[in-house]
Amino acid sequence: AAPAEEQELTDGFNLLIDAFKLNDIDTVYGVPGIPITDFGRMAQAAGIRVLSFRHEQNAGYAASIAGFLTKKPGICLTVSAPGFLNGLTALAHATTNCFPMILVSGSSEREIVDLQQGDYEEMDQLAIAKPLCKAAYRVLHAQDIGIALARAIRSAVSGRPGGVYLDLPAKLFGQVMDAAAGRASLVKVIDAAPAQIPAPDAIKRALETLKGAKRPLIILGKGAAYAQADDAIKALVETSGIPFLPMSMAKGLLPDTHPQCAGAARSTVLKDSDVVMLIGARLNWLLSHGKGKSWGSAPKKFIQIDIEPREMDSNVEIVAPVVGDIGSCVAALNSAMGANFPKAPADWTQAISKKREENVAKMAPRLMNNNSPMDYHGALGVLRTIIKERPDAILINEGANTLDLARGVIDMYQPRKRLDVGTWGVMGIGMGYAVAAAVETGKPVLAVEGDSAFGFSGMEVETICRYKLPVCIVIFNNDGIYRGTDVNQSGTPDPATTVFVKGSRYDKMMEAFGGVGVNATSPDELKRAVNAAMDSGKPTLINAVIDPAAGSESGRIGNLNPQSALKKK
Ligand code: TPP
């Protein structure tokens, strides 16, 4: 054996960095602290882009959307117990939304944690993470780092993507081993998300069902956007001539202005369709579980394309389940259909076009007002034009009215350009998504935020300024949650539970960190400010003053609020 001083050594820090690099993981989103501060420094020095946030939840949301945009697991790096818990909401969010993400967290000493002897930041993190993710692993030996990361990557991206937890106790980082043995312990993951080819019978059954349709409809979900099978999906839609309805984050997969887009005739197509083909969309609450009033009384047949077999029959009967990855399924449908597949009946497609034109015409004048203070439509009319002129910009959107109305008003033209609250309707994704969208795509980002929604991640404007990211934040400031006009009924001096400080100037927050702040009181001012921000690429925050009386309770989902029969009116 070589004398000790000649032996080349490695350790846990370096093995994790090497394992990341070997697997093309080039970006990490996190917050430093014991035991991962030095890891962040060393990873940065080794050429990994390490983005430091002000709160782990935002770093976690950044990692989750990086996963959605790239099909590689987004990495969030946190400290033990409190940092871990702060990252956990995002991990659960990633799992719920089917975004591949790995939460890598330092943890305290096993021997002390397991005996509950009160270690620094003591917590049994693995046990807590488990029910909130697809898989959770802990590494105790440096020689297992390579295999552990490989397992984590595969778990995150294969099958239905989701969140994975990787627990790294403090001691692991400093563990030393022979460098050659360390190199040999690393694993480069080959074919991390293998294609899952649908059964030929399933394809046949789906096409038979479609052929019998008089009023067919395709619903595109964010799974279809994730798949990056854009050309195949376009071909399927156009060859079949079937109207399509994009779910929120599938907008732009085909342009919202496409003649077959039924986005502006949503209630008509849900009610009147007879055969519905779901592509990467689940029949959860966002689609009223596939039943009830919004689906009308006519009988429906559902075809569903999904990578997860258990998704079938989750809410209603699926007569033609097609299980496989969306790219493979859609390609198989396309080749089995051929060029002579019957087009969707013209009376149906014409009825939808008519409805759509009516609805668009009804909305148009509302989008052109130049009222001050602004209403939602006046402000959104401006942003709609800006996205039309800059279709490669990424639109981030959260809030209640700000979300529901922007989704309806702002047309999208390219795939994966609209990023929003997702399956949970969660507030707080805004600034984390904005950072990751800018970092991962290099495109300009426009974040349209309710004033409440923004508050959940607002401190990250410092992060955006620090990294000089091309992010323009527009805050729809109506002085509160849903509206700014509620009054405390009790007679005490406290404000009502849904209102904020009146006339707040969020733009000044941005100026505090060297960004550009603008207070916009009319659609014209808003337009000028957003265009200037998008042209300059400078971090900008525009406080868009919206009428406090504008907006309705919970936006478009007020019906989900439970009602007290005893409430005093
Ligand atoms: N907490 C989280 C994490 N997620 C949520 N969805 C909520 C609370 C409840 N919630 C839904 S929308 C919303 C809140 C707090 C804010 C709505 O107000 P705002 O963002 O100002 O949008 P507006 O309706 O005024 O346009």
Side-chain angles (χ1 to χ4, degrees), residues 68-69 71 220-238 249-255 326-327 330-331 334 413-417:
F68 171 76
L69 289 168
K71 300 183 89 173
L220 301 170
K222 65 178 171 303
Y226 175 81
Q228 299 192 17
D230 309 335
D231 292 343
I233 289 170
K234 182 170 184 276
L236 175 69
V237 168
E238 291 183 345
M249 281 176 59
K251 275 165 70 79
L253 204 42
L254 287 93
I326 285 167
V330 173
N334 283 340
Y413 301 87
Q414 294 178 15
R416 293 170 297 282
K417 298 296 188 186

PDB file of all heavy atoms in Angstrom, residues 68-69 71 220-238 249-255 326-327 330-331 334 413-417:
ATOM      1  N   PHE A  68     -39.919  21.132 -13.455  1.00  0.00           N
ATOM      2  CA  PHE A  68     -40.967  21.161 -14.489  1.00  0.00           C
ATOM      3  C   PHE A  68     -40.407  21.641 -15.823  1.00  0.00           C
ATOM      4  O   PHE A  68     -40.718  21.101 -16.884  1.00  0.00           O
ATOM      5  CB  PHE A  68     -42.109  22.079 -14.048  1.00  0.00           C
ATOM      6  CG  PHE A  68     -43.136  22.351 -15.112  1.00  0.00           C
ATOM      7  CD1 PHE A  68     -44.072  21.393 -15.452  1.00  0.00           C
ATOM      8  CD2 PHE A  68     -43.148  23.563 -15.794  1.00  0.00           C
ATOM      9  CE1 PHE A  68     -45.015  21.628 -16.455  1.00  0.00           C
ATOM     10  CE2 PHE A  68     -44.086  23.812 -16.797  1.00  0.00           C
ATOM     11  CZ  PHE A  68     -45.023  22.839 -17.123  1.00  0.00           C
ATOM     12  N   LEU A  69     -39.555  22.666 -15.763  1.00  0.00           N
ATOM     13  CA  LEU A  69     -39.068  23.282 -17.006  1.00  0.00           C
ATOM     14  C   LEU A  69     -38.028  22.425 -17.714  1.00  0.00           C
ATOM     15  O   LEU A  69     -37.891  22.496 -18.931  1.00  0.00           O
ATOM     16  CB  LEU A  69     -38.473  24.663 -16.703  1.00  0.00           C
ATOM     17  CG  LEU A  69     -39.481  25.757 -16.328  1.00  0.00           C
ATOM     18  CD1 LEU A  69     -38.769  26.986 -15.759  1.00  0.00           C
ATOM     19  CD2 LEU A  69     -40.327  26.137 -17.547  1.00  0.00           C
ATOM     20  N   LYS A  71     -37.207  18.866 -16.933  1.00  0.00           N
ATOM     21  CA  LYS A  71     -37.331  17.407 -16.804  1.00  0.00           C
ATOM     22  C   LYS A  71     -36.160  16.779 -16.052  1.00  0.00           C
ATOM     23  O   LYS A  71     -35.958  15.571 -16.094  1.00  0.00           O
ATOM     24  CB  LYS A  71     -37.509  16.723 -18.166  1.00  0.00           C
ATOM     25  CG  LYS A  71     -38.744  17.164 -18.932  1.00  0.00           C
ATOM     26  CD  LYS A  71     -38.917  16.405 -20.237  1.00  0.00           C
ATOM     27  CE  LYS A  71     -39.738  15.131 -20.031  1.00  0.00           C
ATOM     28  NZ  LYS A  71     -40.044  14.471 -21.325  1.00  0.00           N
ATOM     29  N   LEU A 220     -55.829  19.294 -22.328  1.00  0.00           N
ATOM     30  CA  LEU A 220     -54.374  19.224 -22.131  1.00  0.00           C
ATOM     31  C   LEU A 220     -54.041  19.683 -20.720  1.00  0.00           C
ATOM     32  O   LEU A 220     -54.428  20.772 -20.305  1.00  0.00           O
ATOM     33  CB  LEU A 220     -53.666  20.125 -23.144  1.00  0.00           C
ATOM     34  CG  LEU A 220     -53.911  19.805 -24.623  1.00  0.00           C
ATOM     35  CD1 LEU A 220     -53.347  20.909 -25.506  1.00  0.00           C
ATOM     36  CD2 LEU A 220     -53.287  18.460 -24.983  1.00  0.00           C
ATOM     37  N   GLY A 221     -53.317  18.854 -19.992  1.00  0.00           N
ATOM     38  CA  GLY A 221     -52.917  19.221 -18.634  1.00  0.00           C
ATOM     39  C   GLY A 221     -51.453  19.591 -18.571  1.00  0.00           C
ATOM     40  O   GLY A 221     -50.734  19.522 -19.584  1.00  0.00           O
ATOM     41  N   LYS A 222     -50.975  19.959 -17.384  1.00  0.00           N
ATOM     42  CA  LYS A 222     -49.570  20.362 -17.313  1.00  0.00           C
ATOM     43  C   LYS A 222     -48.636  19.172 -17.495  1.00  0.00           C
ATOM     44  O   LYS A 222     -47.468  19.343 -17.825  1.00  0.00           O
ATOM     45  CB  LYS A 222     -49.272  21.154 -16.035  1.00  0.00           C
ATOM     46  CG  LYS A 222     -49.410  20.439 -14.716  1.00  0.00           C
ATOM     47  CD  LYS A 222     -49.020  21.417 -13.594  1.00  0.00           C
ATOM     48  CE  LYS A 222     -49.304  20.922 -12.191  1.00  0.00           C
ATOM     49  NZ  LYS A 222     -50.657  20.542 -11.873  1.00  0.00           N
ATOM     50  N   GLY A 223     -49.184  17.941 -17.337  1.00  0.00           N
ATOM     51  CA  GLY A 223     -48.390  16.749 -17.677  1.00  0.00           C
ATOM     52  C   GLY A 223     -48.021  16.748 -19.150  1.00  0.00           C
ATOM     53  O   GLY A 223     -46.929  16.328 -19.536  1.00  0.00           O
ATOM     54  N   ALA A 224     -48.952  17.227 -19.984  1.00  0.00           N
ATOM     55  CA  ALA A 224     -48.684  17.295 -21.428  1.00  0.00           C
ATOM     56  C   ALA A 224     -47.617  18.347 -21.714  1.00  0.00           C
ATOM     57  O   ALA A 224     -46.779  18.175 -22.601  1.00  0.00           O
ATOM     58  CB  ALA A 224     -49.962  17.610 -22.181  1.00  0.00           C
ATOM     59  N   ALA A 225     -47.643  19.428 -20.941  1.00  0.00           N
ATOM     60  CA  ALA A 225     -46.615  20.463 -21.115  1.00  0.00           C
ATOM     61  C   ALA A 225     -45.261  19.922 -20.652  1.00  0.00           C
ATOM     62  O   ALA A 225     -44.238  20.110 -21.318  1.00  0.00           O
ATOM     63  CB  ALA A 225     -46.992  21.718 -20.332  1.00  0.00           C
ATOM     64  N   TYR A 226     -45.273  19.245 -19.523  1.00  0.00           N
ATOM     65  CA  TYR A 226     -44.033  18.685 -18.970  1.00  0.00           C
ATOM     66  C   TYR A 226     -43.357  17.743 -19.967  1.00  0.00           C
ATOM     67  O   TYR A 226     -42.127  17.719 -20.076  1.00  0.00           O
ATOM     68  CB  TYR A 226     -44.344  17.922 -17.673  1.00  0.00           C
ATOM     69  CG  TYR A 226     -43.147  17.200 -17.094  1.00  0.00           C
ATOM     70  CD1 TYR A 226     -42.208  17.898 -16.338  1.00  0.00           C
ATOM     71  CD2 TYR A 226     -42.944  15.839 -17.314  1.00  0.00           C
ATOM     72  CE1 TYR A 226     -41.095  17.257 -15.813  1.00  0.00           C
ATOM     73  CE2 TYR A 226     -41.835  15.187 -16.796  1.00  0.00           C
ATOM     74  CZ  TYR A 226     -40.912  15.895 -16.040  1.00  0.00           C
ATOM     75  OH  TYR A 226     -39.808  15.262 -15.528  1.00  0.00           O
ATOM     76  N   ALA A 227     -44.163  16.971 -20.684  1.00  0.00           N
ATOM     77  CA  ALA A 227     -43.631  15.904 -21.544  1.00  0.00           C
ATOM     78  C   ALA A 227     -42.701  16.414 -22.648  1.00  0.00           C
ATOM     79  O   ALA A 227     -41.889  15.657 -23.182  1.00  0.00           O
ATOM     80  CB  ALA A 227     -44.788  15.126 -22.159  1.00  0.00           C
ATOM     81  N   GLN A 228     -42.822  17.691 -22.993  1.00  0.00           N
ATOM     82  CA  GLN A 228     -42.034  18.255 -24.098  1.00  0.00           C
ATOM     83  C   GLN A 228     -42.229  17.456 -25.385  1.00  0.00           C
ATOM     84  O   GLN A 228     -41.285  17.204 -26.135  1.00  0.00           O
ATOM     85  CB  GLN A 228     -40.552  18.380 -23.725  1.00  0.00           C
ATOM     86  CG  GLN A 228     -40.351  19.304 -22.522  1.00  0.00           C
ATOM     87  CD  GLN A 228     -38.903  19.698 -22.282  1.00  0.00           C
ATOM     88  OE1 GLN A 228     -38.052  19.562 -23.165  1.00  0.00           O
ATOM     89  NE2 GLN A 228     -38.622  20.211 -21.092  1.00  0.00           N
ATOM     90  N   ALA A 229     -43.474  17.029 -25.605  1.00  0.00           N
ATOM     91  CA  ALA A 229     -43.819  16.320 -26.839  1.00  0.00           C
ATOM     92  C   ALA A 229     -44.669  17.260 -27.686  1.00  0.00           C
ATOM     93  O   ALA A 229     -45.697  16.870 -28.243  1.00  0.00           O
ATOM     94  CB  ALA A 229     -44.580  15.046 -26.495  1.00  0.00           C
ATOM     95  N   ASP A 230     -44.226  18.504 -27.769  1.00  0.00           N
ATOM     96  CA  ASP A 230     -45.047  19.575 -28.335  1.00  0.00           C
ATOM     97  C   ASP A 230     -45.490  19.308 -29.777  1.00  0.00           C
ATOM     98  O   ASP A 230     -46.653  19.496 -30.121  1.00  0.00           O
ATOM     99  CB  ASP A 230     -44.288  20.915 -28.260  1.00  0.00           C
ATOM    100  CG  ASP A 230     -43.741  21.185 -26.859  1.00  0.00           C
ATOM    101  OD1 ASP A 230     -44.302  20.656 -25.881  1.00  0.00           O
ATOM    102  OD2 ASP A 230     -42.738  21.917 -26.738  1.00  0.00           O
ATOM    103  N   ASP A 231     -44.556  18.835 -30.606  1.00  0.00           N
ATOM    104  CA  ASP A 231     -44.905  18.628 -32.019  1.00  0.00           C
ATOM    105  C   ASP A 231     -45.912  17.496 -32.176  1.00  0.00           C
ATOM    106  O   ASP A 231     -46.852  17.579 -32.972  1.00  0.00           O
ATOM    107  CB  ASP A 231     -43.646  18.333 -32.847  1.00  0.00           C
ATOM    108  CG  ASP A 231     -42.741  19.564 -32.932  1.00  0.00           C
ATOM    109  OD1 ASP A 231     -43.234  20.676 -32.638  1.00  0.00           O
ATOM    110  OD2 ASP A 231     -41.548  19.401 -33.268  1.00  0.00           O
ATOM    111  N   ALA A 232     -45.710  16.419 -31.418  1.00  0.00           N
ATOM    112  CA  ALA A 232     -46.616  15.271 -31.518  1.00  0.00           C
ATOM    113  C   ALA A 232     -48.018  15.663 -31.045  1.00  0.00           C
ATOM    114  O   ALA A 232     -49.025  15.278 -31.652  1.00  0.00           O
ATOM    115  CB  ALA A 232     -46.082  14.112 -30.681  1.00  0.00           C
ATOM    116  N   ILE A 233     -48.093  16.450 -29.994  1.00  0.00           N
ATOM    117  CA  ILE A 233     -49.401  16.862 -29.480  1.00  0.00           C
ATOM    118  C   ILE A 233     -50.100  17.777 -30.487  1.00  0.00           C
ATOM    119  O   ILE A 233     -51.288  17.634 -30.779  1.00  0.00           O
ATOM    120  CB  ILE A 233     -49.244  17.540 -28.097  1.00  0.00           C
ATOM    121  CG1 ILE A 233     -48.865  16.462 -27.059  1.00  0.00           C
ATOM    122  CG2 ILE A 233     -50.525  18.263 -27.684  1.00  0.00           C
ATOM    123  CD1 ILE A 233     -48.447  16.989 -25.711  1.00  0.00           C
ATOM    124  N   LYS A 234     -49.331  18.681 -31.065  1.00  0.00           N
ATOM    125  CA  LYS A 234     -49.892  19.573 -32.094  1.00  0.00           C
ATOM    126  C   LYS A 234     -50.431  18.745 -33.263  1.00  0.00           C
ATOM    127  O   LYS A 234     -51.527  18.984 -33.764  1.00  0.00           O
ATOM    128  CB  LYS A 234     -48.778  20.514 -32.571  1.00  0.00           C
ATOM    129  CG  LYS A 234     -49.194  21.526 -33.595  1.00  0.00           C
ATOM    130  CD  LYS A 234     -48.065  22.553 -33.803  1.00  0.00           C
ATOM    131  CE  LYS A 234     -48.458  23.663 -34.746  1.00  0.00           C
ATOM    132  NZ  LYS A 234     -48.277  23.337 -36.169  1.00  0.00           N
ATOM    133  N   ALA A 235     -49.654  17.739 -33.665  1.00  0.00           N
ATOM    134  CA  ALA A 235     -50.084  16.899 -34.788  1.00  0.00           C
ATOM    135  C   ALA A 235     -51.374  16.160 -34.440  1.00  0.00           C
ATOM    136  O   ALA A 235     -52.298  16.070 -35.261  1.00  0.00           O
ATOM    137  CB  ALA A 235     -48.974  15.908 -35.154  1.00  0.00           C
ATOM    138  N   LEU A 236     -51.464  15.638 -33.242  1.00  0.00           N
ATOM    139  CA  LEU A 236     -52.673  14.910 -32.833  1.00  0.00           C
ATOM    140  C   LEU A 236     -53.893  15.825 -32.874  1.00  0.00           C
ATOM    141  O   LEU A 236     -54.942  15.463 -33.416  1.00  0.00           O
ATOM    142  CB  LEU A 236     -52.485  14.350 -31.409  1.00  0.00           C
ATOM    143  CG  LEU A 236     -53.709  13.670 -30.798  1.00  0.00           C
ATOM    144  CD1 LEU A 236     -54.015  12.363 -31.519  1.00  0.00           C
ATOM    145  CD2 LEU A 236     -53.511  13.408 -29.311  1.00  0.00           C
ATOM    146  N   VAL A 237     -53.734  17.009 -32.329  1.00  0.00           N
ATOM    147  CA  VAL A 237     -54.852  17.954 -32.284  1.00  0.00           C
ATOM    148  C   VAL A 237     -55.259  18.353 -33.703  1.00  0.00           C
ATOM    149  O   VAL A 237     -56.441  18.333 -34.065  1.00  0.00           O
ATOM    150  CB  VAL A 237     -54.463  19.200 -31.446  1.00  0.00           C
ATOM    151  CG1 VAL A 237     -55.481  20.323 -31.619  1.00  0.00           C
ATOM    152  CG2 VAL A 237     -54.320  18.826 -29.967  1.00  0.00           C
ATOM    153  N   GLU A 238     -54.275  18.657 -34.518  1.00  0.00           N
ATOM    154  CA  GLU A 238     -54.611  19.189 -35.845  1.00  0.00           C
ATOM    155  C   GLU A 238     -55.104  18.097 -36.791  1.00  0.00           C
ATOM    156  O   GLU A 238     -56.010  18.330 -37.586  1.00  0.00           O
ATOM    157  CB  GLU A 238     -53.411  19.962 -36.413  1.00  0.00           C
ATOM    158  CG  GLU A 238     -53.193  21.247 -35.598  1.00  0.00           C
ATOM    159  CD  GLU A 238     -52.079  22.144 -36.107  1.00  0.00           C
ATOM    160  OE1 GLU A 238     -51.250  21.676 -36.930  1.00  0.00           O
ATOM    161  OE2 GLU A 238     -52.040  23.324 -35.677  1.00  0.00           O
ATOM    162  N   MET A 249     -51.530  25.561 -16.831  1.00  0.00           N
ATOM    163  CA  MET A 249     -50.109  25.509 -17.198  1.00  0.00           C
ATOM    164  C   MET A 249     -49.867  24.780 -18.519  1.00  0.00           C
ATOM    165  O   MET A 249     -48.726  24.614 -18.940  1.00  0.00           O
ATOM    166  CB  MET A 249     -49.274  24.913 -16.063  1.00  0.00           C
ATOM    167  CG  MET A 249     -48.998  25.947 -14.966  1.00  0.00           C
ATOM    168  SD  MET A 249     -48.116  25.321 -13.539  1.00  0.00           S
ATOM    169  CE  MET A 249     -46.591  24.723 -14.244  1.00  0.00           C
ATOM    170  N   ALA A 250     -50.951  24.365 -19.181  1.00  0.00           N
ATOM    171  CA  ALA A 250     -50.810  23.801 -20.530  1.00  0.00           C
ATOM    172  C   ALA A 250     -51.111  24.858 -21.586  1.00  0.00           C
ATOM    173  O   ALA A 250     -50.981  24.606 -22.786  1.00  0.00           O
ATOM    174  CB  ALA A 250     -51.728  22.599 -20.696  1.00  0.00           C
ATOM    175  N   LYS A 251     -51.512  26.048 -21.120  1.00  0.00           N
ATOM    176  CA  LYS A 251     -51.761  27.125 -22.084  1.00  0.00           C
ATOM    177  C   LYS A 251     -50.472  27.403 -22.864  1.00  0.00           C
ATOM    178  O   LYS A 251     -49.389  27.417 -22.275  1.00  0.00           O
ATOM    179  CB  LYS A 251     -52.205  28.399 -21.348  1.00  0.00           C
ATOM    180  CG  LYS A 251     -53.706  28.438 -21.044  1.00  0.00           C
ATOM    181  CD  LYS A 251     -54.049  29.506 -20.018  1.00  0.00           C
ATOM    182  CE  LYS A 251     -53.903  30.919 -20.525  1.00  0.00           C
ATOM    183  NZ  LYS A 251     -55.033  31.381 -21.364  1.00  0.00           N
ATOM    184  N   GLY A 252     -50.622  27.582 -24.176  1.00  0.00           N
ATOM    185  CA  GLY A 252     -49.454  27.862 -24.995  1.00  0.00           C
ATOM    186  C   GLY A 252     -48.843  26.623 -25.639  1.00  0.00           C
ATOM    187  O   GLY A 252     -48.023  26.725 -26.536  1.00  0.00           O
ATOM    188  N   LEU A 253     -49.226  25.451 -25.174  1.00  0.00           N
ATOM    189  CA  LEU A 253     -48.742  24.210 -25.796  1.00  0.00           C
ATOM    190  C   LEU A 253     -49.093  24.264 -27.275  1.00  0.00           C
ATOM    191  O   LEU A 253     -48.288  23.965 -28.150  1.00  0.00           O
ATOM    192  CB  LEU A 253     -49.444  23.042 -25.082  1.00  0.00           C
ATOM    193  CG  LEU A 253     -48.835  21.675 -25.072  1.00  0.00           C
ATOM    194  CD1 LEU A 253     -47.356  21.710 -24.835  1.00  0.00           C
ATOM    195  CD2 LEU A 253     -49.492  20.830 -23.982  1.00  0.00           C
ATOM    196  N   LEU A 254     -50.368  24.644 -27.533  1.00  0.00           N
ATOM    197  CA  LEU A 254     -50.753  25.224 -28.827  1.00  0.00           C
ATOM    198  C   LEU A 254     -51.218  26.635 -28.466  1.00  0.00           C
ATOM    199  O   LEU A 254     -51.749  26.836 -27.381  1.00  0.00           O
ATOM    200  CB  LEU A 254     -51.895  24.448 -29.472  1.00  0.00           C
ATOM    201  CG  LEU A 254     -51.539  23.074 -30.055  1.00  0.00           C
ATOM    202  CD1 LEU A 254     -51.772  21.989 -29.038  1.00  0.00           C
ATOM    203  CD2 LEU A 254     -52.336  22.827 -31.316  1.00  0.00           C
ATOM    204  N   PRO A 255     -51.046  27.598 -29.372  1.00  0.00           N
ATOM    205  CA  PRO A 255     -51.411  28.972 -29.000  1.00  0.00           C
ATOM    206  C   PRO A 255     -52.882  29.066 -28.585  1.00  0.00           C
ATOM    207  O   PRO A 255     -53.727  28.380 -29.149  1.00  0.00           O
ATOM    208  CB  PRO A 255     -51.161  29.762 -30.279  1.00  0.00           C
ATOM    209  CG  PRO A 255     -50.270  28.921 -31.121  1.00  0.00           C
ATOM    210  CD  PRO A 255     -50.506  27.501 -30.733  1.00  0.00           C
ATOM    211  N   ILE A 326     -46.353  10.415 -22.020  1.00  0.00           N
ATOM    212  CA  ILE A 326     -47.224  11.137 -22.948  1.00  0.00           C
ATOM    213  C   ILE A 326     -46.627  11.200 -24.352  1.00  0.00           C
ATOM    214  O   ILE A 326     -47.335  11.023 -25.345  1.00  0.00           O
ATOM    215  CB  ILE A 326     -47.559  12.516 -22.364  1.00  0.00           C
ATOM    216  CG1 ILE A 326     -48.589  12.282 -21.257  1.00  0.00           C
ATOM    217  CG2 ILE A 326     -48.102  13.469 -23.413  1.00  0.00           C
ATOM    218  CD1 ILE A 326     -48.827  13.441 -20.352  1.00  0.00           C
ATOM    219  N   GLY A 327     -45.328  11.396 -24.443  1.00  0.00           N
ATOM    220  CA  GLY A 327     -44.688  11.418 -25.761  1.00  0.00           C
ATOM    221  C   GLY A 327     -44.943  10.116 -26.516  1.00  0.00           C
ATOM    222  O   GLY A 327     -45.363  10.126 -27.681  1.00  0.00           O
ATOM    223  N   VAL A 330     -48.836   9.665 -27.364  1.00  0.00           N
ATOM    224  CA  VAL A 330     -49.337  10.530 -28.433  1.00  0.00           C
ATOM    225  C   VAL A 330     -48.723  10.107 -29.773  1.00  0.00           C
ATOM    226  O   VAL A 330     -49.406  10.075 -30.802  1.00  0.00           O
ATOM    227  CB  VAL A 330     -49.070  12.017 -28.106  1.00  0.00           C
ATOM    228  CG1 VAL A 330     -49.430  12.904 -29.277  1.00  0.00           C
ATOM    229  CG2 VAL A 330     -49.859  12.424 -26.870  1.00  0.00           C
ATOM    230  N   ALA A 331     -47.450   9.734 -29.748  1.00  0.00           N
ATOM    231  CA  ALA A 331     -46.827   9.256 -30.993  1.00  0.00           C
ATOM    232  C   ALA A 331     -47.535   8.005 -31.494  1.00  0.00           C
ATOM    233  O   ALA A 331     -47.803   7.866 -32.699  1.00  0.00           O
ATOM    234  CB  ALA A 331     -45.338   8.979 -30.750  1.00  0.00           C
ATOM    235  N   ASN A 334     -50.829   8.984 -33.001  1.00  0.00           N
ATOM    236  CA  ASN A 334     -50.619   9.632 -34.299  1.00  0.00           C
ATOM    237  C   ASN A 334     -50.372   8.600 -35.394  1.00  0.00           C
ATOM    238  O   ASN A 334     -50.949   8.670 -36.477  1.00  0.00           O
ATOM    239  CB  ASN A 334     -49.440  10.597 -34.233  1.00  0.00           C
ATOM    240  CG  ASN A 334     -49.808  11.896 -33.541  1.00  0.00           C
ATOM    241  OD1 ASN A 334     -50.985  12.246 -33.438  1.00  0.00           O
ATOM    242  ND2 ASN A 334     -48.804  12.607 -33.045  1.00  0.00           N
ATOM    243  N   TYR A 413     -48.685  31.747 -26.111  1.00  0.00           N
ATOM    244  CA  TYR A 413     -48.374  31.365 -27.491  1.00  0.00           C
ATOM    245  C   TYR A 413     -47.340  30.256 -27.602  1.00  0.00           C
ATOM    246  O   TYR A 413     -47.142  29.685 -28.662  1.00  0.00           O
ATOM    247  CB  TYR A 413     -47.880  32.599 -28.265  1.00  0.00           C
ATOM    248  CG  TYR A 413     -48.911  33.702 -28.276  1.00  0.00           C
ATOM    249  CD1 TYR A 413     -48.978  34.632 -27.247  1.00  0.00           C
ATOM    250  CD2 TYR A 413     -49.847  33.787 -29.303  1.00  0.00           C
ATOM    251  CE1 TYR A 413     -49.946  35.632 -27.235  1.00  0.00           C
ATOM    252  CE2 TYR A 413     -50.817  34.787 -29.305  1.00  0.00           C
ATOM    253  CZ  TYR A 413     -50.858  35.704 -28.270  1.00  0.00           C
ATOM    254  OH  TYR A 413     -51.826  36.679 -28.260  1.00  0.00           O
ATOM    255  N   GLN A 414     -46.622  30.017 -26.525  1.00  0.00           N
ATOM    256  CA  GLN A 414     -45.562  29.004 -26.566  1.00  0.00           C
ATOM    257  C   GLN A 414     -45.679  28.086 -25.351  1.00  0.00           C
ATOM    258  O   GLN A 414     -46.168  28.513 -24.299  1.00  0.00           O
ATOM    259  CB  GLN A 414     -44.185  29.681 -26.574  1.00  0.00           C
ATOM    260  CG  GLN A 414     -43.915  30.489 -27.840  1.00  0.00           C
ATOM    261  CD  GLN A 414     -42.558  31.183 -27.807  1.00  0.00           C
ATOM    262  OE1 GLN A 414     -41.706  30.861 -26.987  1.00  0.00           O
ATOM    263  NE2 GLN A 414     -42.376  32.138 -28.705  1.00  0.00           N
ATOM    264  N   PRO A 415     -45.200  26.837 -25.484  1.00  0.00           N
ATOM    265  CA  PRO A 415     -45.314  25.884 -24.372  1.00  0.00           C
ATOM    266  C   PRO A 415     -44.492  26.288 -23.148  1.00  0.00           C
ATOM    267  O   PRO A 415     -43.420  26.897 -23.278  1.00  0.00           O
ATOM    268  CB  PRO A 415     -44.742  24.580 -24.946  1.00  0.00           C
ATOM    269  CG  PRO A 415     -44.654  24.769 -26.422  1.00  0.00           C
ATOM    270  CD  PRO A 415     -44.577  26.234 -26.681  1.00  0.00           C
ATOM    271  N   ARG A 416     -45.006  25.930 -21.982  1.00  0.00           N
ATOM    272  CA  ARG A 416     -44.288  26.088 -20.704  1.00  0.00           C
ATOM    273  C   ARG A 416     -43.869  27.540 -20.425  1.00  0.00           C
ATOM    274  O   ARG A 416     -42.812  27.805 -19.894  1.00  0.00           O
ATOM    275  CB  ARG A 416     -43.044  25.159 -20.657  1.00  0.00           C
ATOM    276  CG  ARG A 416     -43.417  23.684 -20.622  1.00  0.00           C
ATOM    277  CD  ARG A 416     -42.229  22.772 -20.823  1.00  0.00           C
ATOM    278  NE  ARG A 416     -41.622  22.933 -22.118  1.00  0.00           N
ATOM    279  CZ  ARG A 416     -42.097  22.426 -23.261  1.00  0.00           C
ATOM    280  NH1 ARG A 416     -43.176  21.691 -23.250  1.00  0.00           N
ATOM    281  NH2 ARG A 416     -41.489  22.637 -24.411  1.00  0.00           N
ATOM    282  N   LYS A 417     -44.719  28.482 -20.834  1.00  0.00           N
ATOM    283  CA  LYS A 417     -44.431  29.886 -20.553  1.00  0.00           C
ATOM    284  C   LYS A 417     -45.320  30.412 -19.442  1.00  0.00           C
ATOM    285  O   LYS A 417     -45.103  31.513 -18.964  1.00  0.00           O
ATOM    286  CB  LYS A 417     -44.651  30.732 -21.807  1.00  0.00           C
ATOM    287  CG  LYS A 417     -43.750  30.362 -22.965  1.00  0.00           C
ATOM    288  CD  LYS A 417     -42.292  30.626 -22.638  1.00  0.00           C
ATOM    289  CE  LYS A 417     -41.430  30.444 -23.871  1.00  0.00           C
ATOM    290  NZ  LYS A 417     -39.999  30.554 -23.531  1.00  0.00           N
TER     291      LYS A 417
END
